[in-house]
Amino acid sequence: MKPPVIWGTILVLLVLVGVGGYWGLSNLLKDSEAPVMIAPELVADYVHAVIQANRTVYTKNIVDKLQESGIVEAGEHWKGENALPLPAQFLIETGRLVADSGKGIKYKLVSLWPIYVWNKPETEFERKGLEAVAKSPEHPFTGFVRIGRERYFQAIYADVAVSQTCVTCHNQHINSSRRDFKLNDVMGGIVITIPVAP
């Protein structure tokens, strides 16, 4: 190849690399300023992952260990006793704090076999969701709902018995309508409610 052809080829390649680099950089900068939209299904998955992690750590590393060591028991009336909240109560209490934060996100426990009536499904959507996750616990039941005039995304995830503490409590509780739960059974659902634009 002759030197002018080589230099011409190099010049063309440099121009192409420069134009491509400029175009790529300008698009990257333009995209970094664009608003980020996250699908509500993904937000619900994120929230659920945090709830599950916190509850599992609380159940296995605090409640189970302290009970096995004889240090302290978890009890239904923990506020008035020297006891830990039961894992379900831990989730309910943290759900109340999140609801009170004013961010609009809420979560709660519901069940087709609730120990207390306030944990039964409140809507047809919740009832259908509980039936769906009981059959397919690996898949959340999701959809958009209206509560009053506001529009929300709701996701219902299977609430699985991760500890013998959960199983024993539900099987022995005087108000329980079902007494044959086993470890890893679906006991109900976690309903996550996220506000969305109209």
Side-chain angles (χ1 to χ4, degrees):
M1 232 186 209
K2 297 183 179 181
V5 174
I6 292 173
W7 287 112
T9 304
I10 290 173
L11 182 61
V12 168
L13 287 174
L14 286 174
V15 169
L16 288 174
V17 168
V19 168
Y22 174 77
W23 177 80
L25 186 59
S26 67
N27 277 337
L28 181 64
L29 292 174
K30 182 171 51 175
D31 287 346
S32 70
E33 296 171 6
V36 176
M37 300 296 190
I38 301 175
E41 294 87 354
L42 193 54
V43 174
D45 283 346
Y46 292 159
V47 172
H48 181 253
V50 172
I51 293 168
Q52 280 301 98
N54 286 337
R55 187 173 181 207
T56 300
V57 166
Y58 176 74
T59 302
K60 291 185 175 186
N61 296 335
I62 297 173
V63 173
D64 288 353
K65 284 187 177 184
L66 292 177
Q67 286 188 151
E68 288 168 8
S69 301
I71 296 172
V72 66
E73 293 286 319
E76 183 176 7
H77 306 289
W78 60 277
K79 287 183 180 178
E81 301 171 355
N82 185 22
L84 296 170
L86 293 165
Q89 292 170 317
F90 177 80
L91 191 145
I92 291 166
E93 290 296 315
T94 59
R96 283 189 189 132
L97 289 174
V98 169
D100 290 347
S101 74
K103 303 295 183 196
I105 293 177
K106 298 177 183 178
Y107 63 86
K108 64 181 181 176
L109 279 176
V110 294
S111 179
L112 294 171
W113 316 279
I115 288 177
Y116 293 105
V117 294
W118 50 81
N119 294 111
K120 69 179 184 178
E122 294 179 9
T123 65
E124 185 65 14
F125 182 87
E126 289 180 3
R127 188 188 60 72
K128 285 181 180 177
L130 288 172
E131 290 171 354
V133 299
K135 291 177 186 166
S136 298
E138 63 281 354
H139 302 291
F141 182 83
T142 63
F144 291 92
V145 298
R146 288 222 175 254
I147 301 173
R149 302 174 93 185
E150 302 297 320
R151 185 172 180 240
Y152 294 88
F153 176 80
Q154 280 192 330
I156 302 174
Y157 295 83
D159 184 36
V160 177
V162 297
S163 163
Q164 192 58 45
T165 301
C166 305
V167 172
T168 301
C169 179
H170 278 261
N171 287 344
Q172 294 179 357
H173 199 283
I174 192 167
N175 295 338
S176 186
S177 62
R178 181 175 166 190
R179 299 174 186 275
D180 63 345
F181 286 111
K182 297 180 293 304
L183 212 52
N184 300 312
D185 278 355
V186 175
M187 302 180 90
I190 299 170
V191 179
I192 299 173
T193 304
I194 301 168
V196 293

